Amino acid sequence: MLTIHHLNNSRSQRILWLAEELGLDYELVKHQRDPETLRAPASLNAVHPLGKAPVIEHDGQVIAESDAIIEYITRKLAQGRLSIGSDSPDFGEYLEWLHFPEGSLQGALVFDLIYQWADAANDVLFGFYDVEMNRQYAYLDGVLAERDYLLQSGFTAADINMTWTLEFAEARGRTQSHPNLCAYLTRMRTRPAYQSAIKRGGAQDLTVLGKG
Ligand SMILES: N[C@@H](CCC(=O)N[C@@H](CS)C(=O)NCC(=O)O)C(=O)O
């Protein structure tokens, strides 16, 4: 049996959504962020030393990291559904999109959040990462002007990984001037499995991670 550990308002929403898209049977364990610090509770540390979400348990293994969990679930528990195999011409592009959110987008978003919490004011620092972020979202917006999903061939788990990051980016005011990112988010949120994941995991409110 697959166990998904879910922290409210967090990346583990991705894994619930993936499991719902794939129609998997899973046990859900819910953890609540501290409302003041927004940090994960000790119950997540008891599952994995990093104390982060998402984390899954399966066949006696405990696996952290969204990208790794997505690879594990699609390949081991779903016969490759919603992923792209190494024999496909789209394999490289799939890997690139799957890893782009955590590999490139998330770091800057979290940095931007902490920068705000710290009331920091450093033109060099801000100038550096703000330019990078604007370039990343403009690039994505351009790609999604041409297609409905990250891959031309259709919806994959890479879209699931990307959506949560774009929801965070939306809360940080980074998507609103990019019409194709807004349309993409609407398209993703109307998927029945996205809705089922919200129903099962609880409503998501990322405004706590927003500007203000
Ligand atoms: N790269 C990791 C990041 C995991 C991560 O930072 N998760 C956040 C939730 S979105 C978390 O658990 N935060 C609570 C804390 O740091 O106390 C992944 O994609 O799984």
Side-chain angles (χ1 to χ4, degrees):
M1 169 66 96
L2 171 67
T3 301
I4 301 176
H5 291 271
H6 176 52
L7 179 68
N8 60 312
N9 301 325
S10 89
R11 290 159 166 94
S12 47
Q13 197 63 44
R14 292 167 167 159
I15 310 305
L16 291 188
W17 179 16
L18 177 65
E20 293 291 331
E21 288 280 355
L22 292 168
L24 299 180
D25 199 15
Y26 62 95
E27 183 196 349
L28 181 63
V29 181
K30 292 186 183 179
H31 306 262
Q32 286 291 319
R33 287 183 190 265
D34 180 303
E36 288 291 312
T37 65
L38 298 183
R39 300 316 296 262
S43 56
L44 259 179
N45 272 85
V47 183
H48 188 288
L50 287 175
K52 301 277 184 200
V55 60
I56 61 165
E57 294 180 74
H58 184 253
D59 265 357
Q61 292 199 64
V62 180
I63 303 162
E65 287 295 335
S66 306
D67 301 5
I69 293 170
I70 288 172
E71 291 274 35
Y72 185 93
I73 289 179
T74 52
R75 296 185 194 286
K76 193 168 171 84
L77 306 181
Q79 298 82 43
R81 281 185 295 136
L82 294 186
S83 77
I84 303 285
S86 59
D87 51 349
S88 163
D90 289 343
F91 180 55
E93 198 185 352
Y94 171 71
L95 289 180
E96 186 175 323
W97 285 125
L98 180 65
H99 293 278
F100 187 54
E102 286 301 318
S104 289
L105 301 178
Q106 281 287 157
L109 281 169
V110 172
F111 185 87
D112 186 46
L113 176 66
I114 308 292
Y115 185 88
Q116 179 194 334
W117 283 350
D119 272 333
N122 181 316
D123 289 347
V124 176
L125 217 50
F126 182 79
F128 180 80
Y129 78 78
D130 190 56
V131 165
E132 288 298 322
M133 289 176 90
N134 289 338
R135 181 188 304 176
Q136 290 169 334
Y137 294 105
Y139 163 62
L140 253 183
D141 192 68
V143 169
L144 290 169
E146 308 290 326
R147 46 178 85 171
D148 283 350
Y149 307 103
L150 294 171
L151 287 174
Q152 190 77 53
S153 55
F155 179 79
T156 65
D159 292 297
I160 293 178
N161 222 20
M162 182 63 81
T163 295
W164 194 85
T165 296
L166 287 184
E167 290 182 318
F168 187 2
E170 178 184 50
R172 303 293 310 154
R174 293 278 168 181
T175 56
Q176 286 75 350
S177 60
H178 297 296
N180 302 305
L181 297 188
C182 298
Y184 176 77
L185 276 179
T186 303
R187 225 165 19 251
M188 294 302 122
R189 287 171 174 148
T190 50
R191 291 184 74 87
Y194 177 100
Q195 307 283 342
S196 312
I198 294 284
K199 212 179 262 174
R200 190 140 177 213
Q204 178 169 257
D205 178 12
L206 296 188
T207 54
V208 288
L209 303 174
K211 289 240 183 235

